[in-house]
Amino acid sequence: MKNTKVSIEEILTIISQIEGILNSRPLTPLSCDPTDLSVLTAGHFLIGRPITSVVEPEIIDTPDNRLSRWQGTTKVVQFIWKRWHRDYLNHLQQRSKWQFEKNDLKIGSFVLLKEDNIPPYKWVIGRVKDVIPGSDGKIRIANVQTQSGLYRRGISKICVLPIDNNE
C-alpha cells in the first residue's frame, strides 16, 4: 500500500476481503460423482457455503491518482488476489525436472486450471477426461471438463488438487 493513508474502515475491508480470498481455496470435491465439480472450501466451515463476491472491473494497472478511495481498496485486494492465486497454483505444481519419474495426472483427477485475469474468489475447476502423451510417452496435454465446457491444456497449465485418494 506504499505511503497511502487509509482509514480503519478501509483496512478492515481489505483484511476481510483477504480472509475471504484465502478461505475460497478449493480443498476437496464435495462428492465422488465425476460429473459434480463442486468443491469444499474453508468458507463452507465458516458460513456454510462457498465465499463469493461481486466482480469488480480490473484496475491493477490504473494509476493511483485516478482512483477513488473504494477503487484504491479494490486495487489492493485485486493485487493480493493475483499474487496469492499465482503463488498457490505454482506451489501445487512443483515439478522436479528429470530427477525422478512422477506421473500424477490421471484420468478422473480433480484439477485447477491456471488462467490469467480471473476475478477474486473464482477458481477454474475441472476433471481430467483424457490425457495425450507426447512422442516420448510422457503426458503433455490433457482434456479437462469444467462447468463451462471441455478445455485442452498443456500440463504446465494444470494443477492437481492435493487430495489423498485411497483407491
Side-chain angles (χ1 to χ4, degrees):
M1 293 177 59
K2 301 178 187 169
N3 295 328
T4 307
K5 293 185 180 182
V6 292
S7 67
I8 189 71
E9 289 84 10
E10 290 168 329
I11 287 288
L12 291 174
T13 299
I14 290 169
I15 289 171
S16 66
Q17 289 188 4
I18 291 170
E19 177 186 9
I21 286 171
L22 297 177
N23 289 325
S24 72
R25 176 177 61 100
L27 300 174
T28 186
L30 275 175
S31 73
C32 295
D33 182 12
T35 60
D36 184 13
L37 297 176
S38 54
V39 292
L40 181 69
T41 67
H44 283 88
F45 298 111
L46 298 172
I47 61 173
R49 61 179 174 77
I51 297 174
T52 58
S53 74
V54 175
V55 178
E56 300 268 350
E58 187 171 315
I59 54 176
I60 290 179
D61 297 326
T62 307
D64 290 338
N65 62 351
R66 294 185 54 211
L67 300 175
S68 68
R69 300 293 287 193
W70 173 252
Q71 289 172 327
T73 302
T74 302
K75 182 177 179 177
V76 170
V77 171
Q78 287 177 354
F79 175 77
I80 291 169
W81 161 258
K82 194 171 207 168
R83 178 105 187 243
W84 185 80
H85 183 260
R86 183 191 67 227
D87 290 348
Y88 176 66
L89 291 179
N90 286 339
H91 173 72
L92 285 181
Q93 198 180 41
Q94 291 177 352
R95 300 190 195 285
S96 50
K97 237 183 211 181
W98 303 299
Q99 293 178 1
F100 56 88
E101 285 291 316
K102 183 179 177 188
N103 196 5
D104 52 38
L105 191 63
K106 300 178 188 105
I107 294 175
S109 294
F110 208 71
V111 297
L112 296 172
L113 296 181
K114 282 186 172 182
E115 295 288 333
D116 296 330
N117 301 325
I118 61 172
Y121 304 90
K122 303 291 184 209
W123 298 89
V124 183
I125 301 166
R127 285 203 188 264
V128 175
K129 284 295 183 191
D130 62 347
V131 293
I132 302 166
S135 59
D136 59 356
K138 296 189 187 316
I139 296 171
R140 302 290 180 200
I141 298 173
N143 290 325
V144 179
Q145 182 68 47
T146 67
Q147 289 183 343
S148 59
L150 188 66
Y151 290 94
R152 179 173 281 197
R153 292 285 188 264
I155 60 168
S156 63
K157 296 283 187 179
I158 299 173
C159 303
V160 178
L161 271 178
I163 301 168
D164 186 21
N165 288 336
N166 296 326
E167 297 175 353

